[in-house]
Amino acid sequence: QQQQQQAVASSSPPIKAPSSPSAKGGRVGSAGSSPSSSQQQLRLRQWAFSKYHGAGNDFILVNDPHSQFPTGEADVIASLCRRRTGVGADGLLVLRPHPPLSFDVQYFNSDGKPGSFCGNGSRCAVAFAIQVGLCGNGPIRFNAFDGEHDASPAPNGDKSGTKMFRVSMKDTAAPIAQHGGFFVDTGSPHHVVFLSGDAASTVTSAAPATSGTTAVAASTTTTTTDCCSSNNKGCSTGAAATFDVPREGDRISQAHYGNIGGTNVNFVSTVLGTPNLLKIRTYERGVFEETLACGTGVTAAAIAAVHTGLVDPGLPIEVHALGGRFKVSLAKPSAASEKYTQIALTGPTTHVFDGVVFI
């Protein structure tokens, strides 16, 4: 994993690569590839990148000190994110200078289109920024889609290369109860559905797309079932394991939030006998699929759980996703404010590999 951590991810500008055939939609290659003899030539740029993931939510990260990366070419970004034929990722992040802050980060969904704030992507961006020398290991401040954020390394990493990072989130308005769940905007729009045992078991992979989902009120938490086995780090077994997240998530996103370009949809359950623990599975708009984790979704679930009385905001809230575990801290709205404040998301980031692409 760490063998290729070298100058390929430095802050130097892109290098002119030998002429290669045009293949609009993105070209992935290696620095040692021989130029083609095709008559139709296009001079490509060579870009260094790093691959990171935050609890399985994976990203391509590019350092772009001279603002030359083709952020306006959605087909190129989509081709890089494509599994099997590209690098493969849930999204791509471009880091650029933003004095006096450490950097600015732009997030793009795997369809190549600009996205909103990405919690896991931002945590990975902080780790990447430290890797390429944009900032040190102390407190960090950066700019994103929804404004400025603070970040810092957190303890409890492991020897496999996974490191914990904390990122501050913007103040968030109280959840709105609608469409069988709660709408929460944590920098990205989210719909949160709390699943009871009955709701989780009746919507399976064989269920029609019109199957209903049920929001669980605070008074029904005693009958909520654990969606995961107690010995599993993620949420892969139990009642919610049979839940058709992509199908039902897409249905809710399009049916109720099509006017805003869709929304992320989170299916959440509490765990009997374990206070302040939530299990979550998330459908992400722009990815059009379930992802292993979603930082803004984890945060939205925690806020909705506090709002409904399912968890105690006075204690850290632990949220388990398919790909890993997160902690969320926050302060409830006060008499002077109708928003949740002091929100912070802490979770794992892993540097997977470095590489070079021709664009």
Side-chain angles (χ1 to χ4, degrees):
Q1 170 177 306
Q2 301 299 328
Q3 292 178 351
Q4 298 185 36
Q5 292 182 9
Q6 47 191 271
V8 309
S10 71
S11 59
S12 59
I15 305 166
K16 287 283 187 177
S19 295
S20 298
S22 174
K24 190 172 182 180
R27 284 69 57 180
V28 182
S30 63
S33 299
S34 300
S36 169
S37 59
S38 170
Q39 293 181 355
Q40 191 173 16
Q41 299 286 324
L42 176 68
R43 186 167 296 277
L44 306 178
R45 286 185 182 277
Q46 177 178 302
W47 282 93
F49 72 90
S50 290
K51 176 76 177 284
Y52 274 79
H53 77 82
N57 197 190
D58 58 339
F59 306 96
I60 300 165
L61 291 109
V62 176
N63 185 26
D64 185 19
H66 305 294
S67 300
Q68 294 178 330
F69 190 84
T71 54
E73 298 185 37
D75 57 344
V76 172
I77 295 173
S79 72
L80 294 174
C81 292
R82 194 168 296 129
R83 310 287 178 182
R84 294 188 177 90
T85 59
V87 176
D90 290 327
L92 180 145
L93 297 109
V94 177
L95 277 65
R96 289 173 171 170
H98 194 87
L101 306 184
S102 298
F103 59 88
D104 173 85
V105 59
Q106 298 180 56
Y107 171 66
F108 299 86
N109 288 310
S110 62
D111 62 359
K113 298 177 182 178
S116 44
F117 178 70
C118 179
N120 278 335
S122 293
R123 292 188 310 96
C124 289
V126 172
F128 175 67
I130 293 174
Q131 173 194 335
V132 300
L134 297 180
C135 50
N137 286 301
I140 298 161
R141 192 165 182 82
F142 64 93
N143 187 64
F145 173 84
D146 60 345
E148 296 181 8
H149 295 262
D150 294 310
S152 61
N156 301 325
D158 61 38
K159 295 181 180 180
S160 69
T162 296
K163 298 180 180 179
M164 303 295 287
F165 281 89
R166 171 191 175 278
V167 64
S168 69
M169 311 288 280
K170 306 300 289 186
D171 294 352
T172 301
I176 300 171
Q178 60 186 23
H179 310 309
F182 297 88
F183 177 78
V184 190
D185 190 334
T186 52
S188 287
H190 285 270
H191 182 83
V192 179
V193 178
F194 289 105
L195 300 178
S196 69
D198 290 340
S201 62
T202 55
V203 184
T204 68
S205 58
T210 54
S211 295
T213 52
T214 304
V216 178
S219 60
T220 65
T221 56
T222 55
T223 61
T224 300
T225 58
D226 180 8
C227 75
C228 301
S229 63
S230 59
N231 63 351
N232 188 28
K233 289 182 68 175
C235 182
S236 60
T237 63
T242 58
F243 198 91
D244 192 347
V245 170
R247 189 175 185 181
E248 187 66 10
D250 185 67
R251 185 192 69 81
I252 293 172
S253 176
Q254 299 304 318
H256 302 303
Y257 298 98
N259 61 324
I260 61 169
T263 189
N264 305 291
V265 184
N266 308 273
F267 302 95
V268 184
S269 70
T270 55
V271 180
L272 285 175
T274 310
N276 274 42
L277 174 60
L278 303 172
K279 301 293 181 77
I280 186 171
R281 294 177 63 185
T282 300
Y283 166 88
E284 285 202 47
R285 68 172 189 171
V287 180
F288 306 105
E289 185 58 81
E290 179 178 11
T291 56
L292 295 180
C294 175
T296 53
V298 163
T299 307
I303 291 172
V306 170
H307 182 73
T308 55
L310 295 175
V311 297
D312 180 0
L315 300 171
I317 302 162
E318 188 166 351
V319 186
H320 292 187
L322 280 169
R325 301 178 176 185
F326 297 83
K327 286 189 177 180
V328 179
S329 59
L330 53 82
K332 291 181 67 175
S334 64
S337 172
E338 297 181 352
K339 293 185 175 182
Y340 287 82
T341 60
Q342 302 176 43
I343 306 168
L345 170 72
T346 302
T349 66
T350 302
H351 179 199
V352 185
F353 63 86
D354 300 322
V356 172
V357 294
F358 293 120
I359 298 175

PDB file of all heavy atoms in Angstrom, residues 31-55:
ATOM      1  N   ALA A  31       2.727   5.648 -17.050  1.00  0.00           N
ATOM      2  CA  ALA A  31       3.762   6.566 -17.520  1.00  0.00           C
ATOM      3  C   ALA A  31       4.668   5.917 -18.550  1.00  0.00           C
ATOM      4  O   ALA A  31       5.286   6.591 -19.358  1.00  0.00           O
ATOM      5  CB  ALA A  31       4.587   7.072 -16.334  1.00  0.00           C
ATOM      6  N   GLY A  32       4.739   4.594 -18.572  1.00  0.00           N
ATOM      7  CA  GLY A  32       5.631   3.930 -19.484  1.00  0.00           C
ATOM      8  C   GLY A  32       4.983   3.481 -20.777  1.00  0.00           C
ATOM      9  O   GLY A  32       5.593   2.790 -21.577  1.00  0.00           O
ATOM     10  N   SER A  33       3.747   3.830 -21.030  1.00  0.00           N
ATOM     11  CA  SER A  33       3.056   3.389 -22.227  1.00  0.00           C
ATOM     12  C   SER A  33       3.689   3.993 -23.471  1.00  0.00           C
ATOM     13  O   SER A  33       4.100   5.147 -23.492  1.00  0.00           O
ATOM     14  CB  SER A  33       1.577   3.790 -22.160  1.00  0.00           C
ATOM     15  OG  SER A  33       0.969   3.179 -21.056  1.00  0.00           O
ATOM     16  N   SER A  34       3.774   3.217 -24.559  1.00  0.00           N
ATOM     17  CA  SER A  34       4.339   3.695 -25.808  1.00  0.00           C
ATOM     18  C   SER A  34       3.294   4.448 -26.602  1.00  0.00           C
ATOM     19  O   SER A  34       2.129   4.066 -26.634  1.00  0.00           O
ATOM     20  CB  SER A  34       4.845   2.503 -26.631  1.00  0.00           C
ATOM     21  OG  SER A  34       5.829   1.796 -25.925  1.00  0.00           O
ATOM     22  N   PRO A  35       3.673   5.554 -27.275  1.00  0.00           N
ATOM     23  CA  PRO A  35       2.706   6.305 -28.072  1.00  0.00           C
ATOM     24  C   PRO A  35       2.220   5.470 -29.247  1.00  0.00           C
ATOM     25  O   PRO A  35       2.952   4.679 -29.829  1.00  0.00           O
ATOM     26  CB  PRO A  35       3.497   7.528 -28.531  1.00  0.00           C
ATOM     27  CG  PRO A  35       4.932   7.123 -28.419  1.00  0.00           C
ATOM     28  CD  PRO A  35       5.008   6.164 -27.287  1.00  0.00           C
ATOM     29  N   SER A  36       0.958   5.645 -29.621  1.00  0.00           N
ATOM     30  CA  SER A  36       0.367   4.896 -30.716  1.00  0.00           C
ATOM     31  C   SER A  36       0.741   5.527 -32.049  1.00  0.00           C
ATOM     32  O   SER A  36       1.067   6.711 -32.135  1.00  0.00           O
ATOM     33  CB  SER A  36      -1.155   4.868 -30.554  1.00  0.00           C
ATOM     34  OG  SER A  36      -1.770   4.371 -31.713  1.00  0.00           O
ATOM     35  N   SER A  37       0.670   4.743 -33.129  1.00  0.00           N
ATOM     36  CA  SER A  37       0.949   5.247 -34.465  1.00  0.00           C
ATOM     37  C   SER A  37      -0.317   5.681 -35.185  1.00  0.00           C
ATOM     38  O   SER A  37      -0.299   5.916 -36.385  1.00  0.00           O
ATOM     39  CB  SER A  37       1.659   4.156 -35.278  1.00  0.00           C
ATOM     40  OG  SER A  37       0.833   3.002 -35.357  1.00  0.00           O
ATOM     41  N   SER A  38      -1.436   5.779 -34.432  1.00  0.00           N
ATOM     42  CA  SER A  38      -2.695   6.206 -35.030  1.00  0.00           C
ATOM     43  C   SER A  38      -2.531   7.569 -35.686  1.00  0.00           C
ATOM     44  O   SER A  38      -1.813   8.439 -35.197  1.00  0.00           O
ATOM     45  CB  SER A  38      -3.788   6.270 -33.972  1.00  0.00           C
ATOM     46  OG  SER A  38      -4.942   6.888 -34.490  1.00  0.00           O
ATOM     47  N   GLN A  39      -3.204   7.755 -36.821  1.00  0.00           N
ATOM     48  CA  GLN A  39      -3.113   9.027 -37.540  1.00  0.00           C
ATOM     49  C   GLN A  39      -3.792  10.152 -36.778  1.00  0.00           C
ATOM     50  O   GLN A  39      -3.424  11.321 -36.926  1.00  0.00           O
ATOM     51  CB  GLN A  39      -3.742   8.878 -38.928  1.00  0.00           C
ATOM     52  CG  GLN A  39      -2.974   7.934 -39.851  1.00  0.00           C
ATOM     53  CD  GLN A  39      -3.611   7.830 -41.223  1.00  0.00           C
ATOM     54  OE1 GLN A  39      -4.684   8.388 -41.455  1.00  0.00           O
ATOM     55  NE2 GLN A  39      -2.952   7.128 -42.134  1.00  0.00           N
ATOM     56  N   GLN A  40      -4.800   9.798 -35.973  1.00  0.00           N
ATOM     57  CA  GLN A  40      -5.533  10.831 -35.227  1.00  0.00           C
ATOM     58  C   GLN A  40      -4.880  10.962 -33.858  1.00  0.00           C
ATOM     59  O   GLN A  40      -5.044  10.122 -33.006  1.00  0.00           O
ATOM     60  CB  GLN A  40      -7.012  10.451 -35.093  1.00  0.00           C
ATOM     61  CG  GLN A  40      -7.863  11.591 -34.574  1.00  0.00           C
ATOM     62  CD  GLN A  40      -9.339  11.234 -34.611  1.00  0.00           C
ATOM     63  OE1 GLN A  40      -9.694  10.078 -34.744  1.00  0.00           O
ATOM     64  NE2 GLN A  40     -10.190  12.230 -34.482  1.00  0.00           N
ATOM     65  N   GLN A  41      -4.098  12.004 -33.688  1.00  0.00           N
ATOM     66  CA  GLN A  41      -3.324  12.173 -32.472  1.00  0.00           C
ATOM     67  C   GLN A  41      -3.901  13.292 -31.601  1.00  0.00           C
ATOM     68  O   GLN A  41      -4.504  14.234 -32.085  1.00  0.00           O
ATOM     69  CB  GLN A  41      -1.872  12.527 -32.829  1.00  0.00           C
ATOM     70  CG  GLN A  41      -1.153  11.458 -33.639  1.00  0.00           C
ATOM     71  CD  GLN A  41      -0.781  10.262 -32.788  1.00  0.00           C
ATOM     72  OE1 GLN A  41      -0.434  10.422 -31.629  1.00  0.00           O
ATOM     73  NE2 GLN A  41      -0.893   9.078 -33.366  1.00  0.00           N
ATOM     74  N   LEU A  42      -3.695  13.158 -30.300  1.00  0.00           N
ATOM     75  CA  LEU A  42      -4.070  14.217 -29.371  1.00  0.00           C
ATOM     76  C   LEU A  42      -3.035  14.254 -28.264  1.00  0.00           C
ATOM     77  O   LEU A  42      -2.706  13.218 -27.688  1.00  0.00           O
ATOM     78  CB  LEU A  42      -5.453  13.944 -28.765  1.00  0.00           C
ATOM     79  CG  LEU A  42      -5.915  14.942 -27.694  1.00  0.00           C
ATOM     80  CD1 LEU A  42      -6.169  16.308 -28.328  1.00  0.00           C
ATOM     81  CD2 LEU A  42      -7.181  14.452 -27.006  1.00  0.00           C
ATOM     82  N   ARG A  43      -2.488  15.422 -28.027  1.00  0.00           N
ATOM     83  CA  ARG A  43      -1.511  15.532 -26.957  1.00  0.00           C
ATOM     84  C   ARG A  43      -2.243  15.517 -25.617  1.00  0.00           C
ATOM     85  O   ARG A  43      -3.095  16.359 -25.352  1.00  0.00           O
ATOM     86  CB  ARG A  43      -0.699  16.825 -27.112  1.00  0.00           C
ATOM     87  CG  ARG A  43       0.443  16.941 -26.100  1.00  0.00           C
ATOM     88  CD  ARG A  43       1.386  18.043 -26.477  1.00  0.00           C
ATOM     89  NE  ARG A  43       2.056  17.764 -27.736  1.00  0.00           N
ATOM     90  CZ  ARG A  43       3.141  17.003 -27.846  1.00  0.00           C
ATOM     91  NH1 ARG A  43       3.657  16.423 -26.778  1.00  0.00           N
ATOM     92  NH2 ARG A  43       3.697  16.807 -29.019  1.00  0.00           N
ATOM     93  N   LEU A  44      -1.904  14.548 -24.793  1.00  0.00           N
ATOM     94  CA  LEU A  44      -2.572  14.360 -23.514  1.00  0.00           C
ATOM     95  C   LEU A  44      -1.705  14.889 -22.381  1.00  0.00           C
ATOM     96  O   LEU A  44      -0.492  15.015 -22.504  1.00  0.00           O
ATOM     97  CB  LEU A  44      -2.867  12.875 -23.288  1.00  0.00           C
ATOM     98  CG  LEU A  44      -3.641  12.159 -24.395  1.00  0.00           C
ATOM     99  CD1 LEU A  44      -3.810  10.700 -24.042  1.00  0.00           C
ATOM    100  CD2 LEU A  44      -4.984  12.824 -24.621  1.00  0.00           C
ATOM    101  N   ARG A  45      -2.344  15.154 -21.269  1.00  0.00           N
ATOM    102  CA  ARG A  45      -1.617  15.553 -20.073  1.00  0.00           C
ATOM    103  C   ARG A  45      -1.539  14.367 -19.126  1.00  0.00           C
ATOM    104  O   ARG A  45      -2.473  13.585 -18.995  1.00  0.00           O
ATOM    105  CB  ARG A  45      -2.319  16.726 -19.374  1.00  0.00           C
ATOM    106  CG  ARG A  45      -2.138  18.057 -20.098  1.00  0.00           C
ATOM    107  CD  ARG A  45      -2.748  19.183 -19.287  1.00  0.00           C
ATOM    108  NE  ARG A  45      -2.643  20.456 -19.951  1.00  0.00           N
ATOM    109  CZ  ARG A  45      -1.575  21.240 -19.925  1.00  0.00           C
ATOM    110  NH1 ARG A  45      -0.520  20.867 -19.233  1.00  0.00           N
ATOM    111  NH2 ARG A  45      -1.555  22.383 -20.552  1.00  0.00           N
ATOM    112  N   GLN A  46      -0.429  14.287 -18.448  1.00  0.00           N
ATOM    113  CA  GLN A  46      -0.216  13.231 -17.469  1.00  0.00           C
ATOM    114  C   GLN A  46      -0.527  13.786 -16.085  1.00  0.00           C
ATOM    115  O   GLN A  46       0.038  14.805 -15.682  1.00  0.00           O
ATOM    116  CB  GLN A  46       1.239  12.757 -17.543  1.00  0.00           C
ATOM    117  CG  GLN A  46       1.621  11.700 -16.522  1.00  0.00           C
ATOM    118  CD  GLN A  46       3.050  11.255 -16.703  1.00  0.00           C
ATOM    119  OE1 GLN A  46       3.425  10.780 -17.768  1.00  0.00           O
ATOM    120  NE2 GLN A  46       3.870  11.446 -15.680  1.00  0.00           N
ATOM    121  N   TRP A  47      -1.413  13.124 -15.369  1.00  0.00           N
ATOM    122  CA  TRP A  47      -1.816  13.598 -14.051  1.00  0.00           C
ATOM    123  C   TRP A  47      -1.539  12.535 -12.995  1.00  0.00           C
ATOM    124  O   TRP A  47      -1.944  11.390 -13.134  1.00  0.00           O
ATOM    125  CB  TRP A  47      -3.313  13.936 -14.031  1.00  0.00           C
ATOM    126  CG  TRP A  47      -3.628  15.255 -14.655  1.00  0.00           C
ATOM    127  CD1 TRP A  47      -3.977  15.498 -15.956  1.00  0.00           C
ATOM    128  CD2 TRP A  47      -3.602  16.520 -14.006  1.00  0.00           C
ATOM    129  NE1 TRP A  47      -4.162  16.845 -16.156  1.00  0.00           N
ATOM    130  CE2 TRP A  47      -3.945  17.502 -14.978  1.00  0.00           C
ATOM    131  CE3 TRP A  47      -3.319  16.942 -12.708  1.00  0.00           C
ATOM    132  CZ2 TRP A  47      -4.015  18.859 -14.685  1.00  0.00           C
ATOM    133  CZ3 TRP A  47      -3.391  18.290 -12.410  1.00  0.00           C
ATOM    134  CH2 TRP A  47      -3.740  19.237 -13.392  1.00  0.00           C
ATOM    135  N   ALA A  48      -0.869  12.958 -11.933  1.00  0.00           N
ATOM    136  CA  ALA A  48      -0.692  12.088 -10.777  1.00  0.00           C
ATOM    137  C   ALA A  48      -1.964  12.131  -9.935  1.00  0.00           C
ATOM    138  O   ALA A  48      -2.639  13.161  -9.851  1.00  0.00           O
ATOM    139  CB  ALA A  48       0.504  12.547  -9.946  1.00  0.00           C
ATOM    140  N   PHE A  49      -2.305  11.014  -9.345  1.00  0.00           N
ATOM    141  CA  PHE A  49      -3.475  10.956  -8.465  1.00  0.00           C
ATOM    142  C   PHE A  49      -3.199   9.991  -7.322  1.00  0.00           C
ATOM    143  O   PHE A  49      -2.243   9.203  -7.360  1.00  0.00           O
ATOM    144  CB  PHE A  49      -4.723  10.499  -9.237  1.00  0.00           C
ATOM    145  CG  PHE A  49      -4.703   9.032  -9.608  1.00  0.00           C
ATOM    146  CD1 PHE A  49      -5.242   8.072  -8.754  1.00  0.00           C
ATOM    147  CD2 PHE A  49      -4.125   8.613 -10.795  1.00  0.00           C
ATOM    148  CE1 PHE A  49      -5.203   6.719  -9.084  1.00  0.00           C
ATOM    149  CE2 PHE A  49      -4.085   7.266 -11.137  1.00  0.00           C
ATOM    150  CZ  PHE A  49      -4.623   6.309 -10.276  1.00  0.00           C
ATOM    151  N   SER A  50      -4.032  10.055  -6.309  1.00  0.00           N
ATOM    152  CA  SER A  50      -4.013   9.078  -5.226  1.00  0.00           C
ATOM    153  C   SER A  50      -5.406   8.507  -5.045  1.00  0.00           C
ATOM    154  O   SER A  50      -6.406   9.203  -5.278  1.00  0.00           O
ATOM    155  CB  SER A  50      -3.533   9.711  -3.910  1.00  0.00           C
ATOM    156  OG  SER A  50      -2.160  10.028  -3.961  1.00  0.00           O
ATOM    157  N   LYS A  51      -5.472   7.256  -4.666  1.00  0.00           N
ATOM    158  CA  LYS A  51      -6.751   6.599  -4.373  1.00  0.00           C
ATOM    159  C   LYS A  51      -6.852   6.446  -2.850  1.00  0.00           C
ATOM    160  O   LYS A  51      -5.950   5.915  -2.197  1.00  0.00           O
ATOM    161  CB  LYS A  51      -6.796   5.230  -5.054  1.00  0.00           C
ATOM    162  CG  LYS A  51      -8.035   4.385  -4.762  1.00  0.00           C
ATOM    163  CD  LYS A  51      -9.253   4.861  -5.511  1.00  0.00           C
ATOM    164  CE  LYS A  51     -10.438   3.931  -5.245  1.00  0.00           C
ATOM    165  NZ  LYS A  51     -10.338   2.653  -5.981  1.00  0.00           N
ATOM    166  N   TYR A  52      -7.954   6.940  -2.303  1.00  0.00           N
ATOM    167  CA  TYR A  52      -8.242   6.816  -0.872  1.00  0.00           C
ATOM    168  C   TYR A  52      -9.644   6.241  -0.703  1.00  0.00           C
ATOM    169  O   TYR A  52     -10.474   6.302  -1.622  1.00  0.00           O
ATOM    170  CB  TYR A  52      -8.222   8.192  -0.191  1.00  0.00           C
ATOM    171  CG  TYR A  52      -6.871   8.679   0.267  1.00  0.00           C
ATOM    172  CD1 TYR A  52      -5.967   9.224  -0.636  1.00  0.00           C
ATOM    173  CD2 TYR A  52      -6.500   8.627   1.613  1.00  0.00           C
ATOM    174  CE1 TYR A  52      -4.722   9.698  -0.217  1.00  0.00           C
ATOM    175  CE2 TYR A  52      -5.264   9.101   2.041  1.00  0.00           C
ATOM    176  CZ  TYR A  52      -4.381   9.633   1.123  1.00  0.00           C
ATOM    177  OH  TYR A  52      -3.158  10.097   1.548  1.00  0.00           O
ATOM    178  N   HIS A  53      -9.892   5.701   0.474  1.00  0.00           N
ATOM    179  CA  HIS A  53     -11.279   5.385   0.818  1.00  0.00           C
ATOM    180  C   HIS A  53     -11.536   5.713   2.280  1.00  0.00           C
ATOM    181  O   HIS A  53     -10.634   5.650   3.122  1.00  0.00           O
ATOM    182  CB  HIS A  53     -11.639   3.927   0.499  1.00  0.00           C
ATOM    183  CG  HIS A  53     -11.126   2.906   1.481  1.00  0.00           C
ATOM    184  ND1 HIS A  53     -11.769   2.629   2.666  1.00  0.00           N
ATOM    185  CD2 HIS A  53     -10.051   2.081   1.430  1.00  0.00           C
ATOM    186  CE1 HIS A  53     -11.123   1.672   3.316  1.00  0.00           C
ATOM    187  NE2 HIS A  53     -10.072   1.326   2.590  1.00  0.00           N
ATOM    188  N   GLY A  54     -12.759   6.122   2.560  1.00  0.00           N
ATOM    189  CA  GLY A  54     -13.200   6.379   3.919  1.00  0.00           C
ATOM    190  C   GLY A  54     -14.266   5.362   4.266  1.00  0.00           C
ATOM    191  O   GLY A  54     -15.414   5.490   3.851  1.00  0.00           O
ATOM    192  N   ALA A  55     -13.878   4.285   4.943  1.00  0.00           N
ATOM    193  CA  ALA A  55     -14.799   3.203   5.297  1.00  0.00           C
ATOM    194  C   ALA A  55     -15.441   2.590   4.056  1.00  0.00           C
ATOM    195  O   ALA A  55     -16.626   2.283   4.049  1.00  0.00           O
ATOM    196  CB  ALA A  55     -15.865   3.706   6.266  1.00  0.00           C
TER     197      ALA A  55
END
